[in-house]
Amino acid sequence: MQSTTAGQPLQSLTEKELRLDVYPLTTSPQPLEVLAWVRFGPHAMQVRARAVRWTQKAVGIEFEIGGQKHRTWVWANAVDRA
């Protein structure tokens, strides 16, 4: 995974896609363990992550690769409970 992600930007949903002005935001004091599809540049991969916030359409996740922490927003249908 480290070689695939090296030098590639982690993609995230935009503010326009998130629509936080329309969908209520839930923040969890107890993150949920999930499997989520993320993209680094053109490369898609599934990672073990923690869902820390979400809306009806999107999930904010945190995960680590090679000791480096990452945070991003992904579409809700890209996430499954671990």
Side-chain angles (χ1 to χ4, degrees):
M1 260 196 247
Q2 282 180 280
S3 61
T4 302
T5 61
Q8 299 291 331
L10 175 60
Q11 295 183 16
S12 187
L13 299 179
T14 65
E15 286 185 32
K16 186 175 180 180
E17 291 169 320
L18 286 174
R19 308 230 17 223
L20 294 177
D21 58 326
V22 174
Y23 300 114
L25 177 65
T26 300
T27 303
S28 177
Q30 299 270 325
L32 302 172
E33 296 296 320
V34 297
L35 294 172
W37 284 96
V38 298
R39 285 191 169 276
F40 283 88
H43 306 286
M45 65 182 63
Q46 193 174 40
V47 297
R48 286 195 162 277
R50 294 168 301 283
V52 295
R53 55 196 176 278
W54 54 84
T55 70
Q56 178 182 340
K57 303 281 185 180
V59 181
I61 61 170
E62 297 177 344
F63 62 98
E64 290 185 25
I65 296 177
Q68 184 176 2
K69 293 182 181 182
H70 300 279
R71 295 178 71 168
T72 192
W73 281 97
V74 296
W75 293 116
N77 62 356
V79 178
D80 292 307
R81 286 221 175 167

